[in-house]
């Protein structure tokens, strides 16, 4: 690469417009710029590519003199091209939203030889402010050097008029020329104070609004009523500019959705699995995580050849060691490699994450895929989809189900923390679908290996936690981070109140993670009963039978109860009850004894009550009330049966927790007035029957094994 | 009649025993005496019959000298009959309990020429007490003149020994002789201090006890261990003696029951109805009387030819005038005569009762039958039975159902008021059946016309109410009053709390007169539902149907409601309810609005709850609770129907008060979940159905007329 290179070939030269820019690196911002130029057939000459940048950190400090020097050198031959207008623009933080004809027309209308973009801040020497000609209140008074256009002759003359060093400020250079009123008149220099061509966004985000027209997207300046064509995210608002740029250049419009999504992608369709890129999947279990079994199952279930996967696991939670073991046992030898860091290794999170980066580099991987333990990656194609989307840092969007809590931020404040962008909820709730340039992502993302060498030790920071550290690092590098919501990839679990003192802690997750709880525990046919015209099984008159729980719930509830162990004596005197007396006592454990009372009441309200309404028309009791909810244990040598009785309920639910003929013999429930028995009870199915008046019933004798049922007296 | 007459011919003369007595009148007591003599074949000579009594009131005052004079005169010829023992006894208040052989044996054993009966009071001159020989503590020291036995010679000599005037005291006469120790020894006079022969009862009621042996009844003296044979109710204890005498002389024994009942009876069997005795039935309505309609109906229903009946009615209660009218209209011209005294005549009760006596005499009746308005004479043969029993004053025993309150007293205190006799409850509760001599009767009784001339104005007294007055009068005359419980004649109503402020006051009598209430209102087949194996109608699943009320209840409840008239607006806002809001309002009147809430709750407990237990096995709720109990009115132009709903009840009762097709068209109750309607509702039948969960229901549209139902939400 030399300092001079024609990079984009459009057709604007034919119309008399040449775009020039200075870029020493091909950053993600540069590529975005070039895409916009290409989109509008703008010929762009790039100067300085590969040259060492000596112009300072121009986003926040003075500097950039090197740009003038590179242009002076690069444009000298155009001095006599009076057929040509030359437009200089920054490239890392700038896009075009229209082509040469439009730009030239606007330039013509401004009746000047050179037009500079204008902004509201007088930078870098505020003392010069009063020297600028005054403007109307809706206009910008000060010169910005990020964009200008002029006749080739005057532009070249201007670039050569004064001395400048690389670290001097380019904007000050042009400002001095402009404020020299004889020069200003000699070269007929004007500022684009109304943003007829150039829109500088620093301090002007409130002046503009995004507009869509068909497949076209553009900015509209509501203060001056014009539609600028050169959009420059100058100053410290890069994240906001990136956000706007998601839409600009026809990237996304209301009518046609995401158009950039389909660009710059790759496909694995034609690729043989053996030739698939290799991926290091880094699994981080940093906190106690509900539904971690499903988390690991999703990783196992990924639709990607295991012989292209290295596994790296950092588990910081002792409590989860058995889950890691279970995961590894599920696919012991099929991965390319497995690296495990256990709680005993006492490795900090940032070190672990850095290690994963190093490991990926070491293993010559093509991608690093980070998946934290709070992720439920229910879409097994996620990895493939992300690879094919072909962005260097790309997260599959995930949220806590039904919550705005997600794995990305739409904006960031000055301190680098969370801020909500205008489009955040639309994206998080999938009303806007696309691949979104965002300032922060976390928990689950794919990183192209090309980036990794730059990221070594990047998770470590004095100021930030590892995720914020790496994102801050990437932002500083001008690396774009994307999040895609083009597919449903899965969701995040809520671990904020995860209580791990039980045997089966997920049993208690109905409040925190209702979606996962339901998925794990609620019977797959539960909702069939609620469909219009559903045929509901009725084994006895006004007794209804519903599939409610999966066997795993039944099994875990039994285990939870047996683990708790304090079965009642089955005596009339029962200190657990308000009255101290139970008329028809069972050997049981009440839900409040295992701390599940509130959860069970919620289950009643959410799952039982709609079923009740389905079968007992017109009875509305929401939420259902219950005091008595208990698991009963029948055994031949303990309490084998329950004598005829009524329940203290309007209706009773009776869920079979285990299986007749297999786990026990005998048992069942007999409704005496109807001479009708339910013997072949079904694990996880719930009997629902009136409690008080009509359904005098008894628990039949268990002759072998142990029968468990979960009984609730609803609306006592 | 002369002063001397042999009245009873036995065979004791052959054994050497002659009984003599003095009686100027043949009182009921005298007849009882003679019956006992006859029973044991004792020859009795009666002296003084028809002679004017000049001996004073010997039951309480000194006197009786006339007896000595009559005997002196009557027995003079027996002086030389040394084959003969003579026994003198009183007759009005005395009975024998054995015959001559037994008496003579006992006399022999006492080794005396004359034996006087003995008592514990020294009468009439107490100052003589210390002159009597002392006796053992269980013996009686003083002479009683009511009975003695002796050799004919010594007896005649003794009767002639001293002077005596008719009004002198006979007992003092004999006492003087006895206390003259030379005479005592000369004639060998002894006192029967241990009651070997004679039992005087005054002050000695506690010494004796009734005993039965087979068909034989006798007194046993528990102090001396002997069985006296001459039982004398001396002094002011006539009522107690009468009571004992019910049993004595084999009158009633535990084994053979009442034997006197069958004696001295007459029969109407062979008598043509035209020859039946004529009866004046005197009906007294002195107080507001519940179930007076049934009272009059019973009189109408009497199984006795109306052309032998005079009716006399004294109605003192304005409120009952329509009932009297109804009664008279029922049989207007069939009675011999009808005399009516109405409230407007302002006649006092005693005057009215005296009038009835006079009327009966005037009409030449054979009997006076008094029936007060508190009598429910359910046995239509009562009058015939009483006539055939043939006692001069005779009441059919009646009690308040299930109470000890009756129309007779078993005993009486010194002041003439109620006292309870030992056998009162056995008689009142029909454990002892018979015809009982009692000191007081009231409310309903038959009086033989022969007594009436003596009873003129007898109901009037300064001291007593009319009933006590007449009874006191009869007792003084020595007239026995009998009550018979040989048959069930009917019962008395309780008017103590009779509240007459309603239209149909009997509706409210479930507490005071539950028997009559039930009889009038409860459906004749009500209790069939409670029989073992009863087939209970079930028009829809778990909906049961019972006959509960007679049409009269339904009709009267409707009228009571319409009379009250404050039908609710059928709006949701209902100030009568605790919450002020009714979800499914009807046009109705609540039971508490007509003051029938407590009554209805009692009905639920007594009548509904057993039915409920019959059909809803194992549900026990006694007493049933209810807050909502109301009569609903459906009309096409008012509230014609009730939309689908549940009730605030465990079960609901719904009683049809009137008739489909006749009183209204449309209507009925539909149970939506079972697609089952009860259209042909039956007046007085109660639907019972679960309220809350299973039996979503609606009241169907009434298209014509008015439909009334009585609904109760039981156990809300
Ligand atoms: O054993 C059964 O299924 C009946 C249990 C039952 O009725 C109860 O717990 O109340
Ligand atoms: O009209 C009927 O029979 C039903 C009345 C009813 O359901 C009610 O009053 O709650
Ligand atoms: Fe039960
Ligand atoms: Fe109802
Ligand atoms: Mn700059
Ligand atoms: Mn710039
Ligand atoms: Mn006397
Ligand atoms: Mn006497």
């Amino acid at each position: 690469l030399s300092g001079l290179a024609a990079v984009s070939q459009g057709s604007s030269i034919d119309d008399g417009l040449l775009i020039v820019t200075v870029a020493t690196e091909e950053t993600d911002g540069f590529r975005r710029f070039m895409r916009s130029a290409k989109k509008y057939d703008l010929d762009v000459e790039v100067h300085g590519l590969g040259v060492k940048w000596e112009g300072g950190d121009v986003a926040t400090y003075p500097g950039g003199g090197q740009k003038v020097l590179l242009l002076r050198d690069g444009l000298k031959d155009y001095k006599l091209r009076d057929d040509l207008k030359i437009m200089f623009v920054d490239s890392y933080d700038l896009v075009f939203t229209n082509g040469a004809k439009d730009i030239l027309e606007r330039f013509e209308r401004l009746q000047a030889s050179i037009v500079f973009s204008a902004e509201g801040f007088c930078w870098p020497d505020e003392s010069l402010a009063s020297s600028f000609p005054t403007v109307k209140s809706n206009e910008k008074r000060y010169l910005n050097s990020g964009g200008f256009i002029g006749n080739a002759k005057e532009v070249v003359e201007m670039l050569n008029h004064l001395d400048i060093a690389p670290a001097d400020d380019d904007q000050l250079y042009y400002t001095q020329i402009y404020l020299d009123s004889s020069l200003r008149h000699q070269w007929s220099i004007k500022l684009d104070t109304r943003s007829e061509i150039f829109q500088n966004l620093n301090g002007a985000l409130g002046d503009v609004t995004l507009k869509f027209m068909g497949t076209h997207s553009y900015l509209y300046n509501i203060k001056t009523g014009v539609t600028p064509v050169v959009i420059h995210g100058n100053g410290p608002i890069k994240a906001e500019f990136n956000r706007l740029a998601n839409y600009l250049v026809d990237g996304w419009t209301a009518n046609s959705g995401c158009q950039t999504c389909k660009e710059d992608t790759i496909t694995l369709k034609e690729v043989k699995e053996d030739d698939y890129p290799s991926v290091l999947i880094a699994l981080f279990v940093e906190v106690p995580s509900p539904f971690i079994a499903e988390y690991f199952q999703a990783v196992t279930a990924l639709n990607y050849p295991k012989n292209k996967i290295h596994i790296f696991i950092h588990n910081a939670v002792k409590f989860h060691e058995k889950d890691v073991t279970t995961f590894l046992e599920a696919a012991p030898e099929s991965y390319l490699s497995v690296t495990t860091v256990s709680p005993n290794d006492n490795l900090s999170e940032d070190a672990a994450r850095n290690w994963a980066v190093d490991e990926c580099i070491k293993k010559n991987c093509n991608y690093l895929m980070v998946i934290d333990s709070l992720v439920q990656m229910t879409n097994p194609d996620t990895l493939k989809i992300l690879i094919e989307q072909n962005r260097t840092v790309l997260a599959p969007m995930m949220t806590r189900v039904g919550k705005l809590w997600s794995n990305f931020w739409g904006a960031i404040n000055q301190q680098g923390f969370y801020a909500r962008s205008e489009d955040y909820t639309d994206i998080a709730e999938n009303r806007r679908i696309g691949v979104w340039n965002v300032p922060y992502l976390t928990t689950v993302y794919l990183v192209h290996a090309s980036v990794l060498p730059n990221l070594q030790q990047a998770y470590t920071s004095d100021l930030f936690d590892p995720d914020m550290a790496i994102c801050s690092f990437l932002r500083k590098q001008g690396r774009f981070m994307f999040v895609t919501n083009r597919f449903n990839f899965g969701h995040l679990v809520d671990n904020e109140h995860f209580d791990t003192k039980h045997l089966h802690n997920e049993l208690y997750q109905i409040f925190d993670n209702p979606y996962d709880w339901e998925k794990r525990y609620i019977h797959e046919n539960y909702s069939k009963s609620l469909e219009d015209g559903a045929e509901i099984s009725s084994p006895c008159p006004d007794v209804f039978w519903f599939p409610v729980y999966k066997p795993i719930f039944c099994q875990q509830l039994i285990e939870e109860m047996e683990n708790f162990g304090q079965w009642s004596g089955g005596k009339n005197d029962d200190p657990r009850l308000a009255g101290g007396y139970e008329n028809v006592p069972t050997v049981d454990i009440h839900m409040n004894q295992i701390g599940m009372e509130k959860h069970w009441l919620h289950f009643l309200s959410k799952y039982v009550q709609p079923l009740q309404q389905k079968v007992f028309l017109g009875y509305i009791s929401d939420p259902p009330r219950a005091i008595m909810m208990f698991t009963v244990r029948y055994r031949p040598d303990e309490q084998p049966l329950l004598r005829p009785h009524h329940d203290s309920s309007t209706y009773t639910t009776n869920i079979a927790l285990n299986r007749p003929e297999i786990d026990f013999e005998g048992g069942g429930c007999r409704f005496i007035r109807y001479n009708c028995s339910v013997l072949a009870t079904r694990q996880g199915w719930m009997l629902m029957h009136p409690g008080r008046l009509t359904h005098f019933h008894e628990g039949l004798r268990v002759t072998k094994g142990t029968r468990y049922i979960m009984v609730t007296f609803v609306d006592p």
Side-chain angles (χ1 to χ4, degrees), chain A residues 421-454:
Chain A
S421 67
E422 184 203 301
D423 54 4
Y424 176 75
T425 39
D426 281 344
I427 295 169
E429 294 179 342
N430 287 311
R431 281 187 298 276
R432 288 190 183 176
I433 301 296
V435 177
W436 309 95
N437 190 334
V438 294
Y440 175 83
L441 30 86
T442 179
T443 314
V444 52
Y445 45 89
L446 182 74
V447 183
H448 193 272
S450 61
V451 182
L452 295 178
N454 273 326

Side-chain angles (χ1 to χ4, degrees), chain A residues 244-425:
Chain A
L244 285 171
N246 283 325
Y247 302 93
L248 293 175
V249 201
D250 306 345
W252 191 99
T253 71
N255 274 358
S256 51
C258 180
Q259 302 185 60
T260 41
C261 292
K262 296 153 209 155
E263 296 170 14
D264 283 330
T265 60
I266 60 174
T267 179
L268 292 171
K269 237 180 223 154
E270 329 275 77
V271 182
K272 280 185 292 177
E273 291 214 335
D274 278 349
D275 297 336
Y276 268 33
S278 67
V279 182
L280 184 129
I281 297 184
L283 305 174
F284 295 97
V285 183
E286 304 300 327
V287 289
S289 305
F291 298 96
I292 200 164
E294 284 83 349
Y295 159 76
F296 278 123
Q297 281 156 21
V299 173
T300 302
L302 268 179
N303 198 355
Y304 204 85
K306 296 216 173 358
N307 64 3
K308 290 292 166 182
I309 295 177
H310 300 277
I311 292 287
F312 176 93
I313 305 178
H314 176 236
N315 174 21
V317 184
K318 266 210 105 36
F319 175 76
H320 283 315
E321 280 187 311
K322 62 179 184 328
D323 302 301
V324 172
T325 305
T326 306
F327 165 65
L328 291 175
E329 279 167 358
E333 303 175 67
S334 40
Y335 292 112
L336 265 180
S337 73
V338 172
T339 307
T340 309
V341 189
S342 89
N344 301 326
D345 297 324
N346 255 318
L347 196 68
S348 67
E349 180 182 342
D350 60 324
R353 292 188 187 273
N354 287 332
W355 185 355
V357 170
D358 295 344
E359 199 67 22
C360 194
I361 294 169
K362 212 172 78 188
K363 293 266 159 58
N364 247 319
C365 69
N366 300 113
Y367 292 96
L368 169 66
M369 177 79 194
V370 170
I371 313 177
D372 292 0
S373 58
L374 304 177
V375 167
Q376 295 285 327
M377 191 182 284
T378 50
N379 185 341
D381 292 323
T382 299
L383 180 52
K384 270 201 206 164
I385 291 170
L386 295 180
I387 288 169
E388 292 186 329
Q389 188 65 56
N390 192 33
R391 299 294 184 269
T392 41
V393 180
L394 175 62
M397 189 187 82
M398 293 194 191
T399 65
R400 289 185 184 165
V401 180
K403 301 272 166 64
L404 280 174
W405 179 284
S406 69
N407 66 328
F408 75 99
W409 296 349
I412 202 161
N413 64 19
Q414 296 286 42
Q415 287 70 45
F417 291 101
Y418 177 83
R420 176 165 294 185
S421 67
E422 184 203 301
D423 54 4
Y424 176 75
T425 39

Side-chain angles (χ1 to χ4, degrees), chain A residues 675-709:
Chain A
N675 190 21
C676 178
S677 299
V678 186
L679 300 172
T681 55
R682 305 169 187 170
Q683 192 181 32
W685 285 56
M686 178 175 78
L687 287 172
M688 181 182 285
H689 63 82
R692 199 182 301 285
L693 184 70
T694 48
H695 286 66
F696 199 51
H697 61 285
E698 63 183 324
L700 298 171
R701 183 182 292 275
V702 169
T703 54
K704 201 171 155 189
T706 305
R707 176 180 176 230
Y708 294 96
I709 54 175

Side-chain angles (χ1 to χ4, degrees), chain A residues 67 90 93 146 232-235 238:
Chain A
K67 288 200 270 184
D90 280 356
D93 54 359
H232 181 204
N234 60 319
K238 297 287 177 270

